[in-house]
Amino acid sequence: MQYRTLGRTGVQVSSLALGAMNFGRIGRTTQDEVTAVVDAALEAGINLVDTADAYSGGESEEMVGRAVAGRRDDIVLATKATMPMGDERNHQGSSRRWLVTALEDSLRRLGVDHVDLYQIHRWDPHTSDEETLSALTDLQRAGKIRYFGSSTFPAHRIVQAQWAARDHRLSRYVTEQPSYSILQRGIETHVLPVTEEYGLGVLVWSPLASGWLSGVVREGRDVTTNRSTFMPQRFDTAVPSNRARLDAVERLARIADEAGLTMIQLALGFVTAHPAVTSALIGPRTLDHLRSQLAAVGTVLPADVLDAIDAVVTPGTDLAAHEKNDTPPALLDPSLRRR
């Protein structure tokens, strides 16, 4: 396992990190299965575990808490807030009112007195940067979080938050967690240059593109991944963007074969090759999934393989731009771009 410094924090984290979104009812996993995955991940050298309050309505945090009990100090523990937690309108967002409550709830579910990294799951357009950063700074000074970061923020919001922290003399975001894979390379255009400029650690999610790069999605095969059962539209090859992805996957599979690599090794080796990326978050549901992803540890893609990937998916390009989670609201809601 390789280790890298998380931004400018001085904290060393593994180049592959364990994402816990599939823990609980989303992934149909039991506590015993989760504990086995966590045990194997830690034994392999993974030292960063990332979850969120919204994953299975808090169930993921509870399962992670049980799985890491007794070895809390050996891991970098990360969670997130801001996604809706129930129907109450104020049980979401990044206001001080909600973040204080959400963190207490997360600490209780995790069974710990602090988290190492607390992340704002999505940019909240209804809350000022000063409000959010002030609350996070106070929680940090209270010892309940060590650092805080953002997740899936547009590049301009990352910059705005850095300026707000400076202008109001508040602590700043030290990490960003964006979506990044061979098939979704849009962050190379704006987000990654910004994170490099401000020295942010980058923890990328969905490096296997929701299973498209796992090796099981191929031409002529039925798609039977867990994700396809509740997001079938993302795998319907009658949709042009999905057809483009499948065509790219077939070309990438040939590149992997010629290089003597699995698709997973190619995918994870690609994202961890970028100098701005600190860690790639893997999200296994089973031990077999974990083992296939751990096989990518230490994979270094030579320049000719990276060049071949660039020829399949142009740098800075998203093959499914409509699935991005950092699109400015005005591009999604016509009323916001009309006078």
Side-chain angles (χ1 to χ4, degrees):
M1 184 65 69
Q2 299 175 340
Y3 298 87
R4 300 168 177 176
T5 304
L6 185 62
R8 294 173 179 166
T9 67
V11 176
Q12 299 294 299
V13 296
S14 48
S15 58
L16 295 183
L18 182 62
M21 191 183 78
N22 279 320
F23 294 173
R25 61 177 175 269
I26 289 178
R28 302 193 299 270
T29 51
T30 66
Q31 182 63 57
D32 287 344
E33 290 170 328
V34 167
T35 300
V37 167
V38 171
D39 287 347
L42 298 186
E43 185 175 347
I46 288 177
N47 73 339
L48 191 157
V49 180
D50 176 85
T51 184
D53 58 0
Y55 295 163
S56 294
E59 191 176 8
S60 173
E61 287 183 323
E62 293 173 348
M63 288 181 157
V64 167
R66 296 186 194 107
V68 303
R71 46 190 172 178
R72 166 68 184 87
D73 293 338
D74 298 332
I75 64 171
V76 177
L77 184 59
T79 193
K80 313 179 198 71
T82 67
M83 302 294 273
M85 293 293 287
D87 296 330
E88 165 55 43
R89 68 184 63 202
N90 286 313
H91 288 184
Q92 61 182 302
S94 57
S95 68
R96 173 183 290 270
R97 182 181 188 274
W98 175 238
L99 290 179
V100 171
T101 299
L103 178 59
E104 291 296 339
D105 290 344
S106 288
L107 294 178
R108 173 179 49 77
R109 286 189 291 262
L110 288 162
V112 299
D113 62 4
H114 73 281
V115 293
D116 298 298
L117 179 63
Y118 197 50
Q119 298 154 105
I120 300 302
H121 210 154
R122 296 289 187 271
W123 171 55
D124 176 6
H126 305 293
T127 308
S128 71
D129 289 315
E130 181 185 3
E131 164 86 1
T132 301
L133 292 169
S134 175
L136 292 170
T137 299
D138 287 346
L139 292 170
Q140 184 183 51
R141 289 171 179 167
K144 295 184 178 183
I145 59 178
R146 297 293 185 255
Y147 307 99
F148 51 85
S150 56
S151 176
T152 322
F153 273 33
H156 72 284
R157 296 311 316 177
I158 297 173
V159 173
Q160 284 293 115
Q162 295 290 316
W163 289 355
R166 179 196 63 189
D167 290 348
H168 298 287
R169 301 178 184 273
L170 299 167
S171 295
R172 68 187 189 98
Y173 295 124
V174 299
T175 60
E176 163 60 14
Q177 187 177 134
S179 173
Y180 185 42
S181 72
I182 295 175
L183 303 181
Q184 295 286 87
R185 301 183 60 173
I187 66 167
E188 294 171 345
T189 303
H190 300 295
V191 171
L192 292 184
V194 165
T195 62
E196 288 184 291
E197 174 71 22
Y198 287 97
L200 274 64
V202 176
L203 310 171
V204 300
W205 59 271
S206 201
L208 300 183
S210 298
W212 278 96
L213 299 173
S214 67
V216 301
V217 180
R218 296 294 301 274
E219 184 74 72
R221 295 182 190 172
D222 292 333
V223 180
T224 58
T225 63
N226 181 64
R227 190 66 60 88
S228 69
T229 62
F230 60 90
M231 304 177 83
Q233 71 281 2
R234 290 200 176 191
F235 298 88
D236 180 358
T237 54
V239 176
S241 60
N242 292 338
R243 183 69 247 177
R245 280 193 281 203
L246 187 57
D247 291 342
V249 165
E250 290 301 309
R251 295 173 65 188
L252 292 167
R254 290 193 289 273
I255 294 171
D257 287 342
E258 291 170 3
L261 301 169
T262 66
M263 282 289 284
I264 289 174
Q265 288 174 316
L266 187 78
L268 294 179
F270 169 81
V271 296
T272 55
H274 197 293
V277 173
T278 310
S279 300
L281 287 160
I282 57 175
R285 283 194 310 114
T286 67
L287 273 175
D288 285 342
H289 290 165
L290 176 65
R291 293 186 183 110
S292 66
Q293 292 163 24
L294 287 175
V297 170
T299 297
V300 178
L301 301 184
D304 63 321
V305 172
L306 292 169
D307 290 342
I309 291 172
D310 287 348
V312 175
V313 181
T314 305
T317 300
D318 291 310
L319 293 190
H322 62 286
E323 291 179 7
K324 290 175 65 63
N325 291 279
D326 62 353
T327 303
L331 297 185
L332 302 174
D333 182 354
S335 69
L336 297 178
R337 56 179 188 266
R338 304 281 190 268
R339 287 188 180 277

